[in-house]
Amino acid sequence: MKFRIALALVWAFAVSTAGLVSAGTIWLDELDIHSAVQGWGKPHRNKSVDGHPLSIGGQQFKHGFGTHAESTLHIELDGGATRFSASVGVDDEVNKSPNSSVEFIVRGDGKALWKSGVMRAGDAAKDCEVDLTGVKSLVLEVSDADDGIDHDHADWADAKFETVLATTFATTGEPALVPVAPYLLTPPAPVTPRINGANVFGVRPGSPFMFMIPATGERPMTFSAQNLPQGLKLDPQTGRITGALSARGEFTVTLHAKNSLGAAEKKFRIVCGDQIALTPPMGWNSWNCFAGAVSAEHVKSAADAMVKSGLINHGWTYINVDDFWQNHRDSRDPTLHGPFRDAQGVIVPNSRFPDMKGLADYIHNLGLKAGLYSSPGPWTCGGCTASWKHEQQDAQTYAKWGFDYLKYDWCSYGSVADKEMTNPTNAKVWGETPPKNAQAILPYRVMGTFLRGQNRDMVFSLCQYGMASVWQWGGSVSGNCWRTTGDIRDTWKSMSDIGFNQDQAAPYAKPGNWNDPDMLVVGQVGWGELHPSRLTPDEQYTHISLWCLLSAPLLIGCDMTQLDDFTLNLLCNDEVLALDQDELGKEATCILKDGDVRVYAKELADGGRAFGFFNLGVTPANWNFKALPQFGLAGKQLVRDVWRQKDVATVDAADGNLPLTIPAHGVVLYKLTAAK
Ligand code: GLA
């Protein structure tokens, strides 16, 4: 008792004299801000993200934290602070870039306590004052204001805490999860032949046909096909089907694969018509690993690795060059210097890409397909030559080189969009009345038409971050897929914010038309500075499971020459990939939210249904799934664990329970089919 009284006296003294001795100020820059997770660059103490003195709207600041959207810093206050104040804004180093827009958010114990509203380059600093009485856990967040993270340099200037007794606070970038070592779920493929990949393939009449039968099993293996339509031939040694179909129609073929240990067969539908990409494209893209440093050698090595790693045997097909194969408008890098176009206006690649046709041939000779990148504006996002005023010529050039895929990125088109609407050639596109969102649609319609005019099937991938609800009109401009969001990063915040917010676009996905939540961030990624993905193993299982449920294009974003066992294991699970490649083409939506648990369901062509049970919480969740009839299931259901490729239970939809343990930030992925 005496002890308690003494303690109370000390506390009373501390509090009564707080203003004089115990209350203090802790500057944000005195804390370990380096644990912040941010979308680009590194956190800086008292400097901007680019390392300049902090400056907002012309005003300079000595103290602060320079970061970049999307940014989160968790601070464990434990009730030790009474007030937070700061002056926030976009750092002047972005030079009034029209692309930079951010929102600063202060969250206490999960609730938003203050929001800056959208702030842009050049805006005067906004004062942020937040009462923190009783707050245990604080998050300082900078969002990209929903328009991508380009030039989003954000400063928490003069940021400080008023405290009682506390002398410092611990920080983390994201709430700490108990570390889990990488663990492999995908069972090894059998040594006997197994034909993997999609069950359907679309081609346009007259276009060169190229399809490689993806099959696992010991080599040598020989291939054959029954009922192959006239015009196509199969190489029995490689499993490559080539040729061309002149007539429209649907052909059901039986594919066979044989090795010394056994044989396999599979029904396969070839649909010759207007639509290609009847299942979401699968492949690799250079951006998330090499960004502006990409070279033809990187691309060839990625193609080689796609074959050597065996990923080609699981349906991975495209090898896509992103930005920086062209010359640059003003880079200091001499390898990007050179003419933008030749005397006839044909685009000239930079010195790192000396032979574009040779590169496409190299990729094709491996049984893969080749992809390229451009923008409808004068410059690409990275500042290289783009297709403005050369759309038709570029479409012809890509076809002549032999490319099979074009990612077309809005970027600098904003600077010419108004002008293009009144350009008489383009005005004809609409007839009398331009449709709603005509300005957003126009450049894609123009390029879509020119791509369709080539005697080559080129997947058309729209990249404009979801503007003007692209999912509603992307298909009408011959788009095969369209980005629905800004750029992904390898953080839980970025991946989960994107992945778990796709429902509004979902009804528009169908064979030939896919919503694209951006490329995969597993393996060694880093936009020029490689590091292992910052997603935990369970977050990576979530990422792949969710993207497959969403029928998303699957583009590996890592350095293919450094695939570790865990990454490879994530990318070669044929049952998981089959959900993505399902020929019905229905995108999963969220059918249930319960606390931290999200349940996603996807209808499948064979009448089965895939369920992703995700846990957004930071501790494992024990959870019981019982509402089966509510989700269209009746009778006895066979439950298959898709990652483990194992049947785990039979439940009666009427009264069955599925008790689950879902790892922190992780997933349980099941397929339910009516039991025989
Ligand atoms: C944008 C796109 C990225 C990448 C870069 C290239 O940011 O969204 O995927 O293509 O441009 O500069």
Side-chain angles (χ1 to χ4, degrees):
M1 190 64 173
K2 262 194 208 144
F3 174 70
R4 276 228 212 130
I5 293 168
L7 201 66
L9 282 174
V10 171
W11 172 246
F13 175 76
V15 170
S16 68
T17 56
L20 295 171
V21 291
S22 298
T25 298
I26 298 179
W27 291 89
L28 178 60
D29 51 89
E30 292 175 65
L31 306 183
D32 181 11
I33 49 126
H34 292 105
S35 50
V37 171
Q38 56 187 50
W40 185 86
K42 297 210 166 73
H44 275 68
R45 199 186 288 278
N46 303 329
K47 293 261 161 50
S48 68
V49 68
D50 270 355
H52 298 122
L54 295 165
S55 171
I56 305 170
Q59 190 185 352
Q60 298 229 340
F61 299 86
K62 258 173 63 192
H63 281 280
F65 161 37
T67 184
H68 194 288
E70 307 233 308
S71 160
T72 37
L73 179 64
H74 289 248
I75 304 165
E76 292 318 315
L77 299 178
D78 233 350
T82 52
R83 203 153 192 81
F84 173 73
S85 61
S87 292
V88 300
V90 174
D91 196 280
D92 291 328
E93 71 192 355
V94 301
N95 219 347
K96 302 234 162 111
S97 161
N99 291 339
S100 56
S101 58
V102 297
E103 182 168 33
F104 294 80
I105 304 164
V106 180
R107 290 185 204 278
D109 298 329
K111 276 196 255 103
L113 303 178
W114 186 84
K115 287 187 174 187
S116 66
V118 177
M119 296 191 69
R120 298 180 190 281
D123 288 356
K126 254 189 203 169
D127 287 337
C128 160
E129 291 281 341
V130 183
D131 179 2
L132 295 179
T133 316
V135 171
K136 288 194 159 36
S137 170
L138 189 78
V139 186
L140 300 182
E141 202 176 297
V142 185
S143 87
D144 68 351
D146 292 332
D147 66 349
I149 64 165
D150 270 10
H151 297 139
D152 285 353
H153 298 211
D155 296 340
W156 294 93
D158 271 355
K160 56 181 184 296
F161 297 92
E162 266 142 52
T163 61
V164 184
L165 296 174
T167 53
T168 189
F169 301 120
T171 61
T172 52
E174 289 186 339
L177 301 184
V178 176
V180 173
Y183 59 101
L184 309 186
L185 291 181
T186 305
V191 286
T192 48
R194 188 173 67 197
I195 303 176
N196 304 308
N199 295 335
V200 62
F201 181 75
V203 64
R204 296 197 180 109
S207 296
F209 189 100
M210 199 178 111
F211 179 81
M212 168 103 175
I213 303 172
T216 44
E218 226 168 72
R219 270 32 187 198
M221 193 176 284
T222 52
F223 298 89
S224 61
Q226 276 162 288
N227 302 328
L228 208 56
Q230 213 186 355
L232 301 186
K233 64 174 195 312
L234 165 67
D235 178 332
Q237 257 68 52
T238 59
R240 256 177 250 175
I241 305 175
T242 51
L245 291 174
S246 49
R248 289 166 180 267
E250 226 180 283
F251 309 91
T252 303
V253 176
T254 310
L255 305 175
H256 296 268
K258 208 169 137 200
N259 67 11
S260 62
L261 302 160
E265 65 170 58
K266 167 170 159 170
K267 290 260 180 272
F268 184 66
R269 240 170 4 106
I270 297 174
V271 184
C272 180
D274 286 326
Q275 200 53 281
I276 58 168
L278 297 183
T279 63
M282 288 172 64
W284 172 85
N285 173 292
S286 59
W287 185 252
N288 289 355
C289 45
F290 302 123
V294 67
S295 69
E297 291 316 308
H298 285 134
V299 178
K300 285 185 190 169
S301 315
D304 290 340
M306 194 65 104
V307 177
K308 276 203 203 107
S309 65
L311 284 177
I312 190 173
N313 301 330
H314 301 273
W316 297 92
T317 304
Y318 290 93
I319 298 292
N320 294 352
V321 186
D322 205 276
D323 206 354
F324 285 87
W325 61 269
Q326 322 86 328
N327 279 310
H328 196 274
R329 70 183 157 207
D330 55 8
S331 168
R332 271 174 295 196
D333 181 343
T335 64
L336 300 173
H337 294 175
F340 301 134
R341 292 181 179 274
D342 71 10
Q344 281 69 47
V346 176
I347 188 155
V348 177
N350 65 44
S351 60
R352 303 175 192 162
F353 288 86
D355 178 7
M356 293 302 272
K357 175 154 185 347
L359 180 61
D361 288 347
Y362 184 94
I363 295 170
H364 292 150
N365 286 336
L366 292 169
L368 299 165
K369 295 188 180 182
L372 213 50
Y373 166 98
S374 189
S375 163
W379 307 105
T380 65
C381 294
C384 298
T385 323
S387 296
W388 186 50
K389 292 193 168 160
H390 291 274
E391 295 84 356
Q392 184 167 21
Q393 197 171 25
D394 282 0
Q396 285 163 347
T397 306
Y398 306 150
K400 199 165 117 204
W401 285 339
F403 281 84
D404 310 290
Y405 190 113
L406 178 69
K407 171 173 169 184
Y408 206 46
D409 196 341
W410 174 271
C411 264
S412 69
Y413 185 78
S415 63
V416 297
D418 284 343
K419 211 174 352 176
E420 284 305 300
M421 281 295 287
T422 53
N423 167 341
T425 332
N426 289 334
K428 277 197 232 137
V429 167
W430 313 121
E432 292 286 295
T433 31
K436 189 173 153 222
N437 296 321
Q439 191 158 318
I441 297 172
L442 178 63
Y444 291 98
R445 169 151 300 178
V446 169
M447 188 48 112
T449 309
F450 291 135
L451 290 178
R452 289 293 296 270
Q454 309 307 311
N455 180 30
R456 186 164 194 93
D457 289 351
M458 283 185 264
V459 171
F460 189 27
S461 158
L462 279 46
C463 179
Q464 42 83 292
Y465 337 111
M467 284 187 301
S469 305
V470 60
W471 41 89
Q472 294 177 1
W473 51 265
S476 73
V477 297
S478 301
N480 298 112
C481 42
W482 40 80
R483 282 271 295 277
T484 53
T485 73
D487 289 12
I488 196 169
R489 309 301 288 194
D490 57 323
T491 62
W492 168 252
K493 169 144 183 49
S494 170
M495 186 275 288
S496 62
D497 275 0
I498 291 177
F500 292 112
N501 287 295
Q502 296 293 313
D503 276 8
Q504 61 167 335
Y508 298 89
K510 60 175 187 298
N513 295 159
W514 309 107
N515 292 305
D516 175 5
D518 207 2
M519 301 175 286
L520 301 176
V521 281
V522 300
Q524 293 279 335
V525 291
W527 300 266
E529 261 183 70
L530 293 176
H531 60 257
S533 173
R534 288 175 287 175
L535 298 179
T536 67
D538 282 311
E539 291 170 350
Q540 298 190 47
Y541 279 117
T542 290
H543 184 22
I544 302 295
S545 307
L546 186 53
W547 262 236
C548 288
L549 287 166
L550 295 175
S551 314
L554 299 176
L555 290 169
I556 302 171
C558 67
D559 180 352
M560 294 288 292
T561 65
Q562 297 191 52
L563 284 169
D564 55 285
D565 288 350
F566 177 73
T567 309
L568 197 56
N569 193 264
L570 281 173
L571 300 174
C572 69
N573 192 309
D574 297 299
E575 293 196 19
V576 176
L577 296 173
L579 303 181
D580 182 73
Q581 296 294 301
D582 187 74
E583 61 196 293
L584 196 59
K586 286 255 172 144
E587 177 171 339
T589 51
C590 183
I591 56 163
L592 191 88
K593 289 184 185 174
D594 182 9
D596 284 330
V597 174
R598 300 282 175 282
V599 182
Y600 275 68
K602 178 175 166 73
E603 278 176 60
L604 301 169
D606 66 2
R609 219 167 267 237
F611 289 92
F613 304 94
F614 297 94
N615 173 10
L616 310 196
V618 295
T619 51
N622 289 315
W623 193 78
N624 199 6
F625 184 53
K626 48 183 173 298
L628 300 178
Q630 219 172 299
F631 302 116
L633 296 168
K636 283 219 180 329
Q637 297 284 322
L638 183 66
V639 182
R640 188 160 175 86
D641 181 323
V642 185
W643 276 105
R644 293 179 175 82
Q645 303 184 357
K646 239 166 108 178
D647 295 337
V648 288
T650 307
V651 287
D652 195 322
D655 57 11
N657 280 330
L658 271 181
L660 307 167
T661 302
I662 321 173
H665 286 186
V667 61
V668 170
L669 185 64
Y670 281 168
K671 180 175 169 182
L672 272 66
T673 343
K676 299 221 168 74

